Amino acid sequence: MKLALLLVLLSVSPVNAMSAAELLKADKGFASGYIFGAIEYQIAVACDDDVSVRRQEIRKCLVDGKFMSQQLYGTVISFIKIHPEQTSAVGAIVHAVDEICPRSGR
């Protein structure tokens, strides 16, 4: 439910303009920057909402894990290929990051 709320919040962002199919076809450098920007927006913008705790978990996971842009790029691209029903690039990014960053207590 909280992930769905996060997707709704991000869907009104201008960064949502790219589809998952377009991200697959994009230049690797551009796609990596797009992915980084979407993640940065998700975890850096301070919000007092139902998903703020999850944002903090993701921030900690990504910083502590020292994920490099290549790893994030590969994770997101693999997620899109495995889940072709995911049409939104931002949605795919959010779901991919949600998979690699465990929730507290998991």
Side-chain angles (χ1 to χ4, degrees), residues 72-93:
L72 291 172
Y73 172 82
T75 299
V76 171
I77 297 304
S78 294
F79 182 89
I80 293 170
K81 289 178 179 178
I82 293 169
H83 301 280
E85 72 281 0
Q86 183 65 261
T87 58
S88 163
V90 171
I93 294 165

Side-chain angles (χ1 to χ4, degrees), residues 5 9 12 23 28 48 73 85 91-92 100:
L5 177 60
L9 292 172
V12 297
L23 188 62
K28 190 174 184 176
D48 184 21
Y73 172 82
E85 72 281 0
I100 64 171

